[in-house]
Structure formats: structure tokens, C-alpha cells
Amino acid sequence: MLDQTQVERLEAEAVNSAKTRQPLYAARKKIFPKRASGRFRQFKWLVMAITLGIYYLTPWLRWDRGPFAPDQAVLLDLANRRFYFFFIEIWPQEFYYVAGLLMMAGVGLFLITSTVGRAWCGYTCPQTVWVDLFLVVERAIEGDRNARMKLDAAHWSARKLFLRISKHAIWLVIAVATGGAWIFYFADAPTLLREVATGTAAPVAYVTIAVLTGTTYVFGGLMREQVCTYMCPWPRIQAAMLDENSLTVTYNDWRGEPRSRHAKKAFAAGQSVGDCVDCNACVAVCPMGIDIRDGQQLECITCALCIDACDGVMDKLGRERGLISYATLADYNANMALATAGGTGPVNPALVRTASGSFFDSLAHFHLGKIFRLRTYIYLGAWSAIGLVLVYSLLTRERLELNVLHDRNPQFVTLSDGSIRNGYTVKLLNMIPKPRTIEVTLQGLDGGEMTIVGIDQPPSRSFSIPAEPDRLKILKVFVRQPAGQIKELVQSFEFRIEDKASSESAEYTASFNAPEIGK
């Protein structure tokens, strides 16, 4: 076992200290987070690779939808008002699917936060991911924490200028790639790339790239933690999502206090000494510039890098990991009560350890069963219910729709033979990327027949209409009924459409108006 003095003490001070709050308009103090290593850092690398891979590569995935539809797997086609997602095609009137997905995202965020705290902020938030990416570039060019601090404090020189220009140039390349990747979701990616490179793309493409380049560069490279602290509303909202059984990154001062850099001398003097050696490793790796030992703070995004840093120190000292860990408030309070003799005194490490140095079995420990509680089931049930409704609706939706508008003026016309004619605008919606032949049939309305403008066929009760793939077909239809068959001023009948090949059909109940003399 190493003595505490053999563990390097980092000169790291919390920029956003819970004990001393900075005024809102104070100049920003730069944070130089030290690179961490450990299981949570490895997990963050994995999440960063997956999320960035999805963002940058998705527009280039292909999906064969036949000759009448684009082959880009994910495409928001604003020109034709379509959203394509692999085998799913969403029309404007089906926007409720997007609303449902947004509802699932909101409930899912509540579910994640109530169980494992701000996991979204710490691992998958775009701000976190891009800041991590920018820090990778910064460390590769300028070095780790101490080297970057020295470079920042040094006078301007050719070396410093070269390093800074190199860093910001790569940041700009990343920012441009970020803005460029976004526009590829709205048009065929290979085609749009050629147009952008040759200067023939629409002006909105260049404006979008410029705006997203600027925001990515400023937010990810320059502002960093300030976006999370001052601009993002979620730190204020997430407090309402947490309860005493929510997991969150916690400094377990019931085993860490009192801190000491000289444990042997303290033991010899009969003093109580905790596991924390006050090395400041947790402060040095924090990208938000806080000291987790001050307790829960608004700035903490629960990235868990402080856990990796502290676990590394505990490994060197030969002590149990978990001085900083994911823990629930209920467990923390139970252990604090044990370490302070029910709150009657300061933290005493002897109250949580046996004579051999191991922890008492009475200490509270986290287990997965604590996550599954009523609140979790409610969120999970709501999230699942929304998802099931969307899936059911998606699987049972019709891809052939019919809409009919009756002419308002005139509502009817009396023909020379005494029969009455009504005009209608019939809209046939073929919602698949294949041409179809649609049977339009008149049902009801005794003796009624229809004619369709532009189709050279005699009046009939049924017509075969070719429908273009993935398009709306608008027909001008006139319905005529002999005077002797008219029984009421307003009669109801149905337009029916059917695709014989797929057995899909749709019906619309319309009204036929007649003058009073036609009774």
C-alpha cells in the first residue's frame, strides 16, 4: 500500500465552486481538464464514436425504393414534402408520427433522468460529444493539462502561434463538416456534395453550413461548459426529475472524510483519517470545472470522469474503489447516518470499517432493484404505450386515401333533359412509390352516373384511373341523376376507390344536392 504522499497532488481549483459562486457577469476562467482513463472514459469514447458515426454517415446510406423514389435511407425531402426513413415514408398529414417520436423522446428523457441522473448530459448530448471531440484535438496538438496551462500563460511566440492556428484550423474543419453533414439530410447527399463543391448549390445550403459552422465552433471550442451552465435549461429542470432513489455521481464523504495528506502521522497521533488524500484528481479531470466533493451542483453533467480519476488513485493506494461513485441519495444518507453515529458527531471512519479495515455489511450498497420502482414503471409504461400505438398505426395505415370536395357555386345544375348534375373535386392519394390503377366507383344514388373531365369515356358508375407513384391525383368529377330518381333535396352516396392488385380501398360519403322542384 502506498502512502498518500506518494500520490501526486494536482494544483487544481474548482472554477465553478459550490462554496464561492462567481457573479454572473464575471470574466470566464478557462478550464483545462486533464485526460482521464478508466471504464467510464472508455464508455464515453464508445458513445462518441457511435453518435458521431451516426450523424456523419447516415446521409450516405442507401435504400432501394424502386425507380420512382429517392434511394437515400434517411431523407427529409422538403421540396416534395416527404420524410423517408429506410422502409418508412411519412407524408405531411402523418406528422403525428413525428409528434409521437418527440413525446417518446421527452418521456424517455424523464425515465433516464429519474433512474440514472443526467446520463443524457454526460454521454449523448451533442454539446458534450462535440466538446469531447474538440478536446481530443486540443490535447493532440497542445498536450495534456499542464502543457496547455503553460502554453496559455506563455508569451506569444512562433511555436504558440503555430499550435493555436493548427488547433483552430482543425476545429473549423470539424465545424464545417458538422454543418455540411446536416444539409445532406435534406437532399441527395452525393448530388448536393457536388453542387456545394462546384458552387451551384442553393444559397440556403451555404447559409446553413455557415450558421452551423459558427455555432459548432463557438459552442464546442470556445464556450464549452458555459453552454451547459448558462444556456441549457435542463440543469434547472432535471432537479424535478430526481428523487432519493435516482443514481447520480456522488462523493461518499462518509468514507472520505476527514481528508489527509499524511495518514501515517495522523494515525500515530490517534486522529481519524478518511480515504480522500486531497489529491484534486477529481477536480483536474472535470470538464465543468467543479469539485464533486462540494456535493451535488447545477454544473455537474454526471460524466463520471471524476469516478475514473478517483478509482485510479484508490488503486495506487490499495484501497477499495468507489470513494466517488454512482449512488442514490437514500443510500448516501443511510451511510452518513452510520458514519456520524446518527448525526451526533463528525464523520468517523472507524464507524464504517471493521478492525481489519473492511467495510461493515450494514452499509447500503446500490443494486439494480432500486431502479425499478413505481415511478420508473410509470415512465416506462407511458413510453412503451406511445411506442406501441405508433407501431400499430404504422403497420395498419392505409397507403391509398380519398378526399372529396363538393362544388360550392353552383351546388347543382339542371340539364336540358331535366336531370340534375353536381360537381366534385376528387383527390386520389397514392402513397407508395409505384404506379397503380385505381378503380373509382359510385355507390348509392339510384340511377346516378359520373363523368370525369379529361377522360374520353361515356358516363358510367365506375372508371379505371391511372395513379402516378407517390403522387396526388386530382379529378374533376360530375355526377348526374335523372329527375325521376331524385327523392330528397339532399341525398348521401359514396365514392369508393380500390386498387385491385393490393386490395386496398377507401370510401368517402358525399352529398348530392337537388332543387326543391326535383322532389
Side-chain angles (χ1 to χ4, degrees):
M1 180 184 297
L2 296 176
D3 183 51
Q4 283 92 328
T5 55
Q6 294 176 269
V7 176
E8 178 188 6
R9 188 177 193 276
L10 301 173
E11 296 301 324
E13 180 182 355
V15 172
N16 296 313
S17 175
K19 297 178 179 178
T20 307
R21 286 290 178 184
Q22 297 292 327
L24 289 177
Y25 298 101
R28 177 185 180 232
K29 294 183 179 180
K30 291 185 179 180
I31 298 173
F32 302 91
K34 180 180 175 62
R35 179 171 181 174
S37 60
R39 49 183 176 158
F40 291 105
R41 179 63 266 183
Q42 293 297 326
F43 181 65
K44 282 176 67 67
W45 288 133
L46 177 62
V47 172
M48 185 175 76
I50 292 174
T51 52
L52 290 177
I54 291 174
Y55 177 75
Y56 287 118
L57 299 179
T58 296
W60 302 94
L61 299 178
R62 302 291 100 182
W63 188 268
D64 185 11
R65 299 185 182 91
F68 302 102
D71 64 350
Q72 187 162 308
V74 179
L75 176 64
L76 186 59
D77 189 354
L78 295 180
N80 296 303
R81 295 180 295 177
R82 304 285 189 278
F83 172 57
Y84 298 96
F85 185 81
F86 293 93
F87 63 93
I88 300 173
E89 179 184 355
I90 302 297
W91 285 60
Q93 64 269 28
E94 296 177 314
F95 189 78
Y96 53 83
Y97 286 112
V98 179
L101 290 175
L102 292 176
M103 291 173 62
M104 287 187 69
V107 175
L109 190 58
F110 295 162
L111 171 63
I112 294 298
T113 304
S114 67
T115 52
V116 292
R118 292 175 64 181
W120 161 261
C121 299
Y123 300 99
T124 55
C125 174
Q127 175 67 14
T128 298
V129 172
W130 262 271
V131 167
D132 262 358
L133 180 60
F134 278 40
L135 280 173
V136 169
V137 175
E138 186 172 88
R139 292 191 185 103
I141 295 176
E142 297 182 354
D144 206 0
R145 181 173 183 271
N146 290 339
R148 299 203 308 276
M149 293 176 66
K150 290 180 180 178
L151 182 67
D152 189 69
H155 294 292
W156 283 98
S157 62
R159 177 179 177 274
K160 181 174 180 177
L161 183 63
F162 174 76
L163 293 178
R164 287 294 168 86
I165 291 176
S166 300
K167 178 182 72 174
H168 287 275
I170 297 177
W171 281 0
L172 283 173
V173 170
I174 294 173
V176 171
T178 301
W182 178 255
I183 66 171
F184 294 147
Y185 284 89
F186 297 86
D188 182 65
T191 303
L192 183 56
L193 178 61
R194 288 193 296 269
E195 292 176 350
V196 170
T198 57
T200 58
V204 67
Y206 298 103
V207 172
T208 302
I209 293 175
V211 170
L212 291 180
T213 296
T215 53
T216 303
Y217 173 77
V218 172
F219 291 170
L222 305 181
M223 295 185 66
R224 295 184 181 177
E225 78 288 344
Q226 291 183 306
V227 174
C228 304
T229 303
Y230 300 112
M231 297 176 62
C232 181
W234 188 240
R236 283 86 181 165
I237 300 173
Q238 59 95 22
M241 299 292 104
L242 300 176
D243 59 25
E244 64 276 5
N245 292 310
S246 301
L247 276 178
T248 186
V249 175
T250 305
Y251 168 62
N252 297 307
D253 46 3
W254 52 266
R255 62 167 280 195
E257 302 295 323
R259 309 171 198 173
S260 175
R261 292 286 299 166
H262 306 285
K264 292 183 178 180
K265 294 181 180 179
F267 277 124
Q271 299 175 359
S272 296
V273 177
D275 286 346
C276 181
V277 296
D278 203 21
C279 63
N280 287 335
C282 55
V283 181
V285 300
C286 180
M288 298 300 295
I290 67 170
D291 188 342
I292 192 63
R293 295 171 297 182
D294 291 338
Q296 289 301 310
Q297 298 158 66
L298 175 147
E299 294 85 0
C300 180
I301 60 173
T302 65
C303 62
L305 296 181
C306 53
I307 297 179
D308 283 340
C310 188
D311 284 348
V313 173
M314 292 297 105
D315 289 343
K316 291 180 180 179
L317 296 174
R319 298 182 182 178
E320 301 91 339
R321 291 185 168 193
L323 176 57
I324 301 176
S325 66
Y326 272 103
T328 67
L329 180 61
D331 289 345
Y332 171 82
N333 288 337
N335 293 337
M336 276 296 290
L338 184 63
T340 59
T344 60
V347 173
N348 184 358
L351 297 177
V352 296
R353 292 185 182 272
T354 63
S356 62
S358 61
F359 289 115
F360 284 121
D361 294 335
S362 56
L363 285 171
H365 297 284
F366 170 76
H367 56 83
L368 288 177
K370 294 183 179 181
I371 289 181
F372 298 99
R373 54 195 192 279
L374 179 61
R375 185 176 187 177
T376 305
Y377 287 122
I378 292 175
Y379 284 139
L380 184 59
W383 184 84
S384 301
I386 298 172
L388 289 174
V389 169
L390 290 178
V391 171
Y392 175 78
S393 176
L394 191 65
L395 294 177
T396 59
R397 64 179 180 165
E398 294 290 341
R399 310 314 291 152
L400 183 64
E401 291 190 1
L402 170 66
N403 191 27
V404 178
L405 295 176
H406 193 292
D407 288 353
R408 292 181 176 272
N409 188 22
Q411 292 190 355
F412 57 85
V413 173
T414 303
L415 302 180
S416 59
D417 61 356
S419 61
I420 304 301
R421 188 182 73 182
N422 283 204
Y424 303 86
T425 300
V426 177
K427 298 180 179 180
L428 311 179
L429 189 57
N430 178 19
M431 301 175 70
I432 63 172
K434 295 180 181 178
R436 296 204 269 189
T437 299
I438 307 300
E439 293 291 330
V440 181
T441 306
L442 187 66
Q443 294 187 336
L445 198 66
D446 296 340
E449 292 180 324
M450 60 181 174
T451 56
I452 300 179
V453 176
I455 297 181
D456 188 16
Q457 294 183 20
S460 175
R461 293 182 65 86
S462 180
F463 285 83
S464 294
I465 305 297
E468 296 179 355
D470 214 22
R471 286 291 183 271
L472 175 67
K473 182 83 170 183
I474 300 178
L475 303 174
K476 185 62 180 178
V477 179
F478 293 105
V479 176
R480 180 182 64 86
Q481 186 179 29
Q485 299 288 335
I486 298 176
K487 301 176 182 179
E488 299 180 10
L489 293 177
V490 179
Q491 302 176 75
S492 295
F493 68 99
E494 291 182 343
F495 283 104
R496 175 181 170 82
I497 60 173
E498 183 179 7
D499 177 12
K500 299 291 186 181
S502 65
S503 299
E504 286 186 277
S505 63
E507 296 178 352
Y508 190 96
T509 301
S511 297
F512 186 87
N513 299 329
E516 188 173 356
I517 60 174
K519 293 181 62 177

